[in-house]
Amino acid sequence: MLQGIEEIFTDRARMMKSLKKDSYEAFTKEFEREYGHYFTEMRKYTEQAEDGKAAAEEIGERLIQAMTESCRNKRGKLDGRTRSELSLFMVYYVFPAILKQGEPGRQIADGTLAACRRGLHNRGMKYVDYETIYNGFNDKVLGLF
């Protein structure tokens, strides 16, 4: 399941740098174009499973495993800064892509969130959809820029 999903984390530094409304939109489209097949696979896996909740939790664990494998330091661990960056990457890109999968997306997001809270040591982590994040960007500060 989800063979090669580690690749979704390769461009995270570039995609998180200097995020603005326009760049977020462009990066999201690029992310979905390149990696959308993984999220479709997640939806299909959950729909075909007898226990959708267990399948969603399994997907979340697989994502954490892939994240750890691709982002760990020389000692094989995720340092605090990397965990923070990964938390933001998950909220900005991965969760919105999951939520675009319709009704199974919410179940997958819940399972993934539980795994992320454990794996990234971020108990306060939450997820939102793309539109909420996109509409949260301001183009101008006090009408000056």
Side-chain angles (χ1 to χ4, degrees), residues 88-107:
L88 287 173
F89 184 79
M90 293 293 291
V91 169
Y92 275 91
Y93 295 103
V94 178
F95 283 116
I98 290 171
L99 292 171
K100 286 187 177 182
Q101 296 301 312
E103 184 56 37
R106 179 79 50 195
Q107 191 173 38

Side-chain angles (χ1 to χ4, degrees), residues 10 14 23 26 28 34-35 39 61-62 88 95 116 124-125 127-128 135 137:
T10 56
R14 179 181 64 89
S23 62
T28 299
E34 290 185 35
Y35 308 118
F39 302 101
E61 291 300 326
R62 176 66 183 110
L88 287 173
F95 283 116
C116 284
M125 187 176 193
Y127 63 82
V128 294
N135 291 327
F137 282 100

